[in-house]
Amino acid sequence: MILVTGGAGFIGSHTCVALAEAQVPFVILDNFSNSRRSVVDRLSRILGFAPEVVEADVRDRAALDAVFARYPINGVIHFAAFKAVGESVREPLAYYDNNVAGTVTLLQAMRAAQVRTLVFSSSATVYGEPASLPIREDFPCSATNPYGWSKLMMEQVLADLDTAEPGQWHIARLRYFNPVGAHASGLIGEDPQGVPGNLLPFVAQVAAGWRDRLAVFGNDYPTPDGTGLRDYIHVTDLAAGHVAALRYLREHPGLLTVNLGTGRPVSVLEMVRAFERASESPVPFDVVARRPGDVARCWADPAKAESLLGWRAELGLDRMCADAWRWQNGVARMLRDMDTQG
Ligand code: NAD
Ligand code: WQD
């Protein structure tokens, strides 16, 4: 059985669907600090059964020990973390506490329970401004904000653990590029609180009429249309990558580091046009100044994931937008209406 920390969140909930499809039993542990309890009901409708859920915090060692004692867990997928870059600059201690201290507590509990298989959510943010493209796993890493540092620190903790106890751990550090989209049912998806910091949720809210205009952060980058290039990956593809990583880890002790991306760069303006097509709604925008800390270009070389895990992204940009729109214009709209009605 797999313990999925942060399993009620955006990527975690989709990964639970992928685990169930692969007939891997799982238990979710989440403190619902950035997700709604209703995710569990909606997930149940997709799965056809009610998943096991423990409401707890990964920093709570006693709660973790109780979970490991209660369930026959033999591996962990660790999503639970804070992820907002801007907030991490304002509240670094909260990020280091939740992300770094939370991971250390989890690892201590895993070791005590003799569970040594871990799939860890890392991020393309660890590459900073890449010297060349596409980005390979052996490129140098750096960070420009506390969120990025927290991911790099956790990557280091995992590498040190593998060095200290060689051959005993089975660890994957998965570096996600830009996860977008939603489950094809429209029942689960990305549900940001407040003003979305990421492009696709913002675009979706403009198309839905919740926000007036998108601010495009700069059109003077050295890219074909001047806007930033990113590697957007459908969350369903990303979820499948976790199942593939778990399968790989079963046979391979040690430390695995892999990019999960498509290898295909998409500009901000291409994303806007694709979303307009999918939603049949206009997405008006203004070009404004660059956002501090943004890189011009970031996309993956996904070859290592394909050769080692036998995994590659299948779903294209139009499908990402169509699925994100089905979620945005359906359940996300309903949830928002319920919130505003109190
Ligand atoms: P999310 O916020 O939707 O999901 C995280 C889940 O973890 C939420 O349900 C939240 O309630 C829970 N959580 C947070 N702190 C917790 C704690 N201390 N104890 C228990 N539960 C806790 O985020 P997501 O987009 O699904 O991201 C999942 C992981 O992937 C994170 O580690 C994130 O840093 C990483 N990641 C995300 C992206 C992205 O763009 N979404 C990109 C790269 C990496
Ligand atoms: C994409 C492009 C923006 C919003 C961030 C984190 C990274 C990872 C994924 C977790 C850029 C442009 C955006 C807007 C815009 N998260 N943009 N107007 O910056 O690649 O990565 O999320 O690990 O750590 O840094 O993603 O979606 O914020 O931006 O023009 O309102 O869209 O400038 O070119 P980013 P993003």
Side-chain angles (χ1 to χ4, degrees):
M1 183 175 228
I2 299 298
L3 174 65
V4 186
T5 78
F10 172 45
I11 305 168
S13 58
H14 290 81
T15 300
C16 289
V17 176
L19 287 169
E21 283 169 353
Q23 316 223 318
V24 178
F26 62 89
V27 50
I28 293 171
L29 182 144
D30 204 299
N31 66 359
F32 297 99
S33 56
N34 197 36
S35 47
R36 299 171 190 260
R37 284 176 185 76
S38 73
V39 169
V40 178
D41 296 329
R42 289 181 271 117
L43 193 53
S44 305
R45 285 173 60 193
I46 298 172
L47 299 173
F49 64 87
E52 293 282 324
V53 181
V54 175
E55 181 163 346
D57 194 299
V58 286
R59 290 163 295 186
D60 181 345
R61 175 67 193 272
L64 292 179
D65 288 346
V67 170
F68 284 113
R70 177 164 166 209
Y71 297 97
I73 293 165
N74 53 15
V76 178
I77 308 182
H78 179 38
F79 293 107
F82 292 152
K83 63 164 180 177
V85 172
E87 187 182 61
S88 80
V89 176
R90 293 189 299 276
E91 297 180 46
L93 293 180
Y95 273 68
Y96 292 122
D97 180 42
N98 203 39
N99 297 7
V100 183
T103 301
V104 172
T105 303
L106 173 67
L107 289 165
Q108 287 166 333
M110 286 177 67
R111 203 225 257 110
Q114 306 278 354
V115 176
R116 290 170 184 266
T117 297
L118 176 74
V119 175
F120 173 70
S121 300
S122 190
S123 167
T125 196
V126 302
Y127 293 115
E129 180 93 52
S132 66
L133 290 145
I135 300 173
R136 281 198 324 269
E137 290 83 352
D138 58 0
F139 279 24
C141 291
S142 66
T144 54
N145 56 69
Y147 170 73
W149 279 116
S150 80
K151 288 288 166 192
L152 266 183
M153 286 178 190
M154 293 183 286
E155 284 211 1
Q156 188 62 43
V157 168
L158 296 173
D160 292 343
L161 197 52
D162 178 57
T163 303
E165 300 173 7
Q168 295 189 40
W169 291 82
H170 300 236
I171 296 172
R173 305 186 299 190
L174 303 183
R175 294 178 176 159
Y176 314 154
F177 281 68
N178 291 57
V180 297
H183 189 259
S185 65
L187 287 167
I188 53 174
E190 194 169 7
D191 186 15
Q193 305 302 303
V195 182
N198 291 116
L199 177 65
L200 191 114
F202 202 107
V203 166
Q205 293 193 5
V206 174
W210 305 4
R211 299 187 186 279
D212 290 340
R213 304 174 77 78
L214 170 72
V216 172
F217 299 141
N219 65 353
D220 56 351
Y221 284 107
T223 62
D225 67 18
T227 66
L229 291 172
R230 295 291 184 277
D231 185 338
Y232 299 95
I233 173 170
H234 197 297
V235 64
T236 299
D237 278 332
L238 190 64
H242 292 72
V243 178
L246 270 181
R247 204 170 285 139
Y248 177 90
L249 289 183
R250 228 183 279 148
E251 314 286 326
H252 299 86
L255 181 69
L256 169 77
T257 307
V258 215
N259 289 339
L260 293 183
T262 68
R264 290 185 295 273
V266 170
S267 77
V268 176
L269 297 182
E270 283 172 311
M271 178 59 91
V272 166
R273 283 192 291 271
F275 209 90
E276 287 184 326
R277 281 197 302 277
S279 64
E280 298 179 333
S281 307
V283 177
F285 64 84
D286 303 304
V287 176
V288 303
R290 293 180 178 189
R291 182 171 64 179
D294 270 354
V295 301
R297 306 181 303 161
C298 177
W299 67 91
D301 181 340
K304 188 174 177 188
E306 175 142 25
S307 68
L308 291 188
L309 308 182
W311 170 93
R312 72 171 164 182
E314 306 282 350
L315 305 173
L317 184 61
D318 290 335
R319 176 70 188 272
M320 299 177 206
C321 293
D323 287 343
W325 177 242
R326 189 177 305 107
W327 154 256
Q328 182 70 36
N329 203 30
V331 171
R333 187 184 285 280
M334 195 188 71
L335 292 169
R336 178 178 187 258
D337 290 348
M338 282 162 50
D339 287 348
T340 49
Q341 284 157 19

